[in-house]
């Protein structure tokens, strides 16, 4: 499983240090050993370098992701952070198109597809979030909305593969109504969405699909047991290193 902690804007340098110290002290390496699980921490841009250095210094088996990248390559875009910038400071991938970015910062499906293309060209793993809002769901528009969000990403992924770029594309199904609400999607919901995504687009290489939205210690094992699910993207529960480690132990 690809197990991603999205720390959002909740961490400080000090708190990251304490988090990693717990992982080192409790033996993350031995907990993960032989399980095949991969662990990812997604931090805000300013902490990527510190996080990457600390993970290396402590010998922790974890990858570092950004939470977003600019849709521009370089140039006069004050305040933006490019794909090249995150690579420079130790990130190997980035979350893209999180619903919080779509909702609060007006990111469009096209922006997300552009960012996916830039990541793939630079050798950075894209983890693209998609998911319907509560209103979409109530109106019976779940699959329609998901198709609109995923189609431009599928196109970019197919083009990249044709250009010889062989980087895995990860998709995370994160229903907006499930994020931070304590109400996770059911296994049946997730199964339906995964089949739609895998069957309806001409993937040359099928994407790996993760689930995110109110994953916690009680539901982590049953969600992870879903056939064809490749991982989990977790917010609030994995801000606590003890819950993170207990979740790993519930999976192995
Ligand atoms: P929660 O796990 O807090 O519901 O957040 C999910 C999420 O948004 C991960 O990207």
């Amino acid at each position: 499983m690809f197990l991603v902690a999205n720390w959002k804007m909740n961490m400080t340098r000090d708190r990251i240090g304490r988090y990693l110290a717990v992982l080192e002290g409790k033996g993350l390496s031995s907990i993960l050993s032989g399980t095949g699980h991969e662990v990812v921490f997604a931090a805000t841009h300013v902490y990527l370098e510190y996080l990457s250095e600390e993970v290396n210094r402590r010998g922790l088996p974890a990858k570092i992701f950004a939470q977003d990248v600019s849709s521009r390559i370089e140039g006069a875009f004050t305040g933006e952070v490019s794909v090249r910038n995150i690579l420079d400071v130790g990130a190997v991938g980035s979350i893209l198109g999180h619903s919080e970015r779509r909702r609060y910062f007006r990111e469009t499906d096209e922006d997300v597809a552009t960012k996916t293309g830039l990541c793939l060209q630079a050798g950075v793993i894209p983890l693209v979030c998609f998911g319907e809002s509560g209103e979409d769901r109530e109106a019976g528009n779940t699959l329609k909305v998901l198709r609109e969000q995923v189609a431009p990403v599928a196109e970019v992924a197919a083009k990249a593969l044709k250009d010889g770029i062989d980087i895995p594309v990860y998709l995370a199904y994160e229903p907006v109504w499930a994020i931070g609400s304590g109400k996770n999607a059911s296994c049946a919901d997730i199964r339906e969405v995964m089949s739609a995504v895998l069957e309806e687009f001409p993937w040359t290489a099928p994407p790996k699909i993760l689930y995110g939205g109110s994953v916690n210690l009680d539901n982590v094992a049953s969600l992870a047991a879903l056939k064809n699910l490749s991982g989990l993207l977790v917010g609030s529960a994995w801000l606590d290193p003890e819950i993170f480690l207990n979740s790993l132990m519930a999976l192995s």
Side-chain angles (χ1 to χ4, degrees):
M1 290 248 118
F2 203 64
L3 302 166
V4 185
N6 178 7
W7 286 340
K8 307 192 181 182
M9 206 171 67
N10 291 303
M11 287 300 210
T12 55
R13 187 185 172 88
D14 184 46
R15 191 168 168 193
I16 290 174
R18 280 185 277 124
Y19 193 111
L20 298 182
V22 173
L23 302 192
E24 187 185 2
K26 301 236 161 147
L28 176 68
S29 304
S30 51
I31 291 171
L32 283 180
S33 152
T35 62
H37 299 319
E38 284 182 87
V39 159
V40 176
F41 298 114
T44 50
H45 294 133
V46 288
Y47 296 128
L48 291 174
E49 185 156 33
Y50 171 66
L51 175 58
S52 147
E53 285 170 0
E54 277 297 286
V55 157
N56 289 337
R57 189 177 71 77
R58 294 175 187 272
L60 295 168
K63 291 188 167 66
I64 311 302
F65 272 35
Q67 297 174 6
D68 186 33
V69 293
S70 177
S71 58
R72 312 298 181 124
I73 296 178
E74 63 178 351
F77 301 105
T78 304
E80 287 287 270
V81 175
S82 72
V83 169
R84 193 183 297 159
N85 295 155
I86 65 157
L87 261 178
D88 254 358
V89 291
V92 296
S94 183
I95 295 175
L96 301 174
H98 192 282
S99 67
E100 287 149 15
R101 297 217 56 83
R102 295 176 188 263
R103 186 165 159 207
Y104 302 126
F105 305 101
R106 303 268 179 275
E107 268 190 26
T108 64
D109 298 334
E110 286 64 39
D111 295 331
V112 177
T114 302
K115 293 177 181 196
T116 306
L118 290 179
C119 281
L120 290 172
Q121 280 158 22
V124 167
I125 302 167
L127 168 49
V128 181
C129 304
F130 67 99
E132 81 286 5
S133 67
E135 300 84 69
D136 294 328
R137 183 178 165 86
E138 271 158 39
N141 287 335
T142 298
L143 292 182
K144 176 176 174 287
V145 169
L146 303 188
R147 284 180 193 117
E148 286 165 5
Q149 293 177 342
V150 175
V153 174
E155 232 172 81
V156 166
K159 185 175 176 307
L161 204 61
K162 223 164 104 200
D163 294 343
I165 297 170
D166 191 14
I167 310 263
V169 172
Y170 288 83
L171 295 178
Y173 173 48
E174 292 210 311
V176 180
W177 50 268
I179 296 175
S181 66
K183 273 188 284 172
N184 60 285
S186 70
C187 290
D189 291 333
I190 302 171
R191 238 184 259 119
E192 183 188 18
V193 166
M194 282 200 296
S195 329
V197 166
L198 291 172
E199 284 160 20
E200 292 188 23
F201 299 101
W203 303 105
T204 327
K208 296 183 187 303
I209 304 183
L210 282 63
Y211 168 76
S214 294
V215 176
N216 57 40
L217 249 185
D218 294 333
N219 59 24
V220 67
S222 57
L223 289 167
L226 260 169
K227 194 163 165 247
N228 292 335
L229 191 74
S230 297
L232 297 167
L233 176 55
V234 183
S236 39
W238 287 358
L239 286 173
D240 178 334
E242 305 278 352
I243 297 182
F244 174 73
L245 289 174
N246 287 339
S247 304
L248 296 188
M249 289 190 271
L251 297 184
S252 35

